Amino acid sequence: MEKRVTFKGWILPLILLLPQVIVSAVFFFYPAGQAIYQSLYIPDPFGLSMQWVGLGNFEYLLGDPYYRASFATTAVFSGLVTVVSMGMALYLAVLADRLIKGSGTYRTLLIWPYAVAPAVAGVLWLFMFNTRVGVVSWYLGVLGYDWNHVLNETEAMGLVVVASSWGRISYNFLFFLAGLQAIPKSVIEAAAIDGARFWTRFRTIVFPLLSPTTFFLLVVNIVYAFFETFGVIHTITSGGPQQATTILVYKVFSDGFVGQDLGSSAAQSVILLVVVGILTVVQFKFIERRVHY
Amino acid sequence: MSGMVEKRGVGLWFTHVGLIIGVLIIFFPIWLAFVASTVTQPEIVKPPMPLWPGDQFFANYRKALVSGINAPVAVMLFNSFVMAMGIALGKILISLMSAFAIVYFKFPGRRLFFWLIFLTLMLPVEVRIVPTYEVVAGFGMLNSYSGLIFPLIASATATFLFRQFFMTVPDELAEAARVDGARPMRFFWDILLPMSRTNIAALFVILFIYGWNQYLWPLLITTDPDMNTIVMGIRQMFPSGDDVADWPVIMATSILAMLPPVVVVVSMQRLFIRGLVDSEK
């Protein structure tokens, strides 16, 4: 797309671009270049010199059971967050869509957890399930279930998944409700006249028509689970127990800042860059398609 | 016309009950945090804690705001406010400028700049933390507002949003401005900017929340408690080791941390939804 009418001159546009170009160069491109550069070296133990290792850091990482485990953890974590937050949101959106009036009120009641930071959500859920003072863990204890996410890996994963999904329900609900309301009522009524019951209508008409929204949310939620849930994990489990909740982004942080293993952390950054690149391309390809619907 | 597929009678009640259960589940963690922020520490550490607010509201919030644990929460609120405003306004400003340059001018290297900006989409701060930290440290910007704001300010999303909007602005307007001999910046100020008002406001809502809720970046670069933002400062309030956390103060801080963005979302719901939908296009 091009504008037919444009202004003359090239100095003014360059001046206008300058701030964004400088900020991008200094805080985006230079650090990204540095990450690639550092990923090919290992610093000596005293930090005095860098030794070229080629793809050694990558080879080491891909053979490292901890790193592979972190990949698997990330897959499980983001899969669960996506399914839980989208499932809950779809359920609520389908209900709200059935209302003739009042769906606006529920929307107001349901959207605002979006504004709660993942790190704050982490603190709220940590408080409920705290092994010493948590209300939910206490009542679970009364029921005979001994909750301890500090030691139990499955419980730790469950807790970070629920805390990460919680605020995300708002976002998914909003898009699902908009998608549902865009489906012409006449189509659904025609099916109803033909005697199709709610579940049949949902399965054969509503869900297929909703698929552009669903695919879009799928990608966006995976990106969210990959990159924006750091706060939840850092506040609730710090990646533990035994690295059971160490997702890739958390590992870049813990290896780079806590472990000071710069070469490995940089190589992990580069791998994540590739992952983001793929997700971005998928997102754009898909959104282009969506525009043509 | 009321359709025949909407539920009436018993079905309608089930729909409401289903929704209310959902709302209650979503509200519960916040209700509990609020209750915890209004009771005393002994009431919490001897479980189960009460589920109805106590009478310590003013005492707990005053303690949090005035003295906090590492730093007064009032200071952290101010830091968060500066950071969120800086990121939101800064992003909007540089994106408006660059989108205007890319859409309304033809100059050598235009495509190159466009792609350079596009590439920054792929570089979330989480991915480049170590080298970005080194850059910021090299500039001596640790524990400073500029260190909190600038690395998060370049945004391809905002630039694309404005670019998309500028493309829909009728060419006749720029044509008329040119015929009248108006300079480009005059056209920008007098015509383009007023037309973009709603888009700017919608984007502001989204960016303010984005900036306010940052966690990893402030965690890395603010080691001085007086520079902590509230969202990252909560975690710093937990004692290391086996000491018992001061839950009433921590929960009061959590409520204070979520209040500003929640107020923004609820009071500007229309702009918020528009911004959310726009920025995902």
Side-chain angles (χ1 to χ4, degrees):
Chain A
M1 265 209 302
E2 299 266 325
K3 273 269 180 209
R4 231 169 4 90
V5 183
T6 52
F7 293 100
K8 288 191 180 60
W10 56 274
I11 298 175
L12 180 63
L14 287 184
I15 294 173
L16 289 169
L17 276 169
L18 208 59
Q20 178 143 26
V21 169
I22 291 176
V23 172
S24 308
V26 174
F27 297 108
F28 282 72
F29 291 110
Y30 176 75
Q34 277 288 317
I36 295 172
Y37 173 80
Q38 285 172 359
S39 70
L40 304 174
Y41 288 86
I42 45 172
D44 72 36
F46 307 104
L48 297 174
S49 65
M50 301 274 276
Q51 199 197 339
W52 165 266
V53 289
L55 295 177
N57 282 322
F58 293 95
E59 274 169 31
Y60 176 77
L61 271 180
L62 296 178
D64 177 13
Y66 285 116
Y67 191 64
R68 290 203 206 169
S70 173
F71 246 105
T73 305
T74 311
V76 170
F77 172 75
S78 41
L80 286 174
V81 169
T82 305
V83 169
V84 171
S85 64
M86 281 177 67
M88 186 78 184
L90 182 61
Y91 161 77
L92 291 170
V94 166
L95 289 181
D97 185 48
R98 277 150 63 102
L99 297 175
I100 301 165
K101 49 185 180 189
S103 70
T105 312
Y106 285 111
R107 195 177 67 184
T108 307
L109 289 174
L110 286 169
I111 62 168
W112 60 273
Y114 171 85
V116 178
V120 177
V123 173
L124 300 186
W125 285 85
L126 176 65
F127 179 58
M128 288 196 291
F129 283 89
N130 186 284
T131 47
R132 204 181 302 180
V133 303
V135 171
V136 180
S137 53
W138 189 84
Y139 281 106
L140 283 173
V142 172
L143 295 174
Y145 187 89
D146 185 16
W147 176 272
N148 193 339
H149 66 267
V150 182
L151 297 175
N152 185 310
E153 298 179 7
T154 315
E155 289 171 6
M157 178 57 95
L159 189 54
V160 289
V161 165
V162 172
S164 305
S165 309
W166 174 73
R168 203 60 193 172
I169 293 171
S170 313
Y171 181 92
N172 296 337
F173 171 80
L174 211 56
F175 278 88
F176 271 136
L177 186 60
L180 287 170
Q181 288 178 340
I183 295 173
K185 287 276 175 285
S186 55
V187 178
I188 299 167
E189 281 174 13
I193 290 168
D194 287 345
R197 309 205 56 127
F198 175 76
W199 261 111
T200 321
R201 292 200 304 262
F202 184 77
R203 224 164 15 88
T204 57
I205 303 170
V206 177
F207 197 68
L209 284 174
L210 206 57
S211 66
T213 309
T214 311
F215 280 125
F216 161 75
L217 287 177
L218 214 54
V219 177
V220 174
N221 280 294
I222 290 173
V223 173
Y224 162 80
F226 260 71
F227 300 104
E228 289 165 46
T229 50
F230 176 88
V232 176
I233 290 177
H234 192 241
T235 48
I236 298 184
T237 62
S238 298
Q242 273 96 48
Q243 303 212 19
T245 54
T246 300
I247 61 169
L248 291 169
V249 167
Y250 195 86
K251 199 162 163 58
V252 174
F253 163 81
S254 64
D255 286 358
F257 279 91
V258 186
Q260 296 284 323
D261 187 351
L262 291 185
S264 167
S265 170
Q268 292 179 33
S269 290
V270 173
I271 292 174
L272 276 180
L273 277 181
V274 175
V275 174
V276 188
I278 293 169
L279 286 172
T280 311
V281 170
V282 170
Q283 198 172 346
F284 267 79
K285 276 253 175 289
F286 165 68
I287 284 162
E288 256 169 40
R289 222 185 57 197
R290 191 170 70 132
V291 172
H292 295 299
Y293 262 86
Chain B
M1 189 194 87
S2 68
M4 59 189 304
V5 287
E6 284 95 356
K7 284 285 171 182
R8 292 153 192 289
V10 180
L12 183 67
W13 282 108
F14 273 117
T15 307
H16 277 293
V17 168
L19 281 163
I20 289 166
I21 289 173
V23 170
L24 289 180
I25 291 174
I26 285 177
F27 263 69
F28 184 66
I30 294 173
W31 174 252
L32 213 57
F34 177 70
V35 171
S37 73
T38 62
V39 299
T40 60
Q41 172 79 339
E43 283 179 275
I44 292 176
V45 293
K46 219 173 133 286
M49 62 168 272
L51 296 176
W52 200 251
D55 56 1
Q56 299 297 306
F57 178 88
F58 287 105
N60 290 336
Y61 281 80
R62 186 183 303 122
K63 187 178 172 203
L65 281 167
V66 176
S67 49
I69 289 174
N70 303 308
V73 171
V75 171
M76 302 201 289
L77 275 170
F78 179 75
N79 294 338
S80 285
F81 182 75
V82 172
M83 183 186 186
M85 289 299 275
I87 290 174
L89 296 179
K91 271 193 180 198
I92 287 172
L93 185 69
I94 67 171
S95 306
L96 272 171
M97 286 165 64
S98 56
F100 179 54
I102 285 174
V103 173
Y104 279 98
F105 292 88
K106 283 203 174 79
F107 56 96
R110 194 176 65 138
R111 296 221 135 245
L112 175 75
F113 283 119
F114 180 76
W115 282 106
L116 283 181
I117 292 170
F118 180 80
L119 272 177
T120 58
L121 263 187
M122 302 194 187
L123 299 170
V125 74
E126 284 78 6
V127 170
R128 53 193 163 85
I129 46 173
V130 177
T132 312
Y133 175 86
E134 286 166 357
V135 170
V136 170
F139 283 135
M141 297 197 315
L142 298 180
N143 291 311
S144 75
Y145 289 126
S146 50
L148 280 172
I149 293 168
F150 280 110
L152 300 175
I153 223 175
S155 156
T157 330
T159 309
F160 284 136
L161 192 68
F162 287 126
R163 174 181 168 270
Q164 221 163 353
F165 173 68
F166 290 166
M167 294 309 260
T168 65
V169 172
D171 277 350
E172 287 73 22
L173 290 174
E175 185 80 71
R178 231 173 44 170
V179 171
D180 288 350
R183 287 160 181 278
M185 287 319 285
R186 173 123 231 133
F187 168 73
F188 180 74
W189 285 114
D190 290 353
I191 296 169
L192 214 50
L193 211 54
M195 286 184 77
S196 317
R197 251 190 343 237
T198 322
N199 289 56
I200 294 175
L203 199 61
F204 177 83
V205 172
I206 299 296
L207 293 177
F208 181 85
I209 297 168
Y210 165 84
W212 185 275
N213 287 349
Q214 284 300 314
Y215 182 76
L216 175 57
W217 189 244
L219 180 71
L220 295 180
I221 75 148
T222 65
T223 46
D224 174 2
D226 281 328
M227 282 304 293
N228 285 357
T229 62
I230 186 163
V231 169
M232 61 83 53
I234 300 172
R235 157 79 200 236
Q236 314 299 107
M237 296 173 127
F238 287 94
S240 51
D242 250 8
D243 293 341
V244 179
D246 190 346
W247 288 106
V249 170
I250 291 176
M251 286 299 138
T253 311
S254 303
I255 295 287
L256 289 170
M258 64 180 99
L259 204 58
V262 166
V263 167
V264 166
V265 163
V266 173
S267 65
M268 296 187 232
Q269 202 182 133
R270 263 174 206 294
L271 284 175
F272 163 69
I273 292 173
R274 184 183 170 139
L276 208 58
V277 174
D278 280 353
S279 58
E280 291 295 356
K281 263 184 201 154

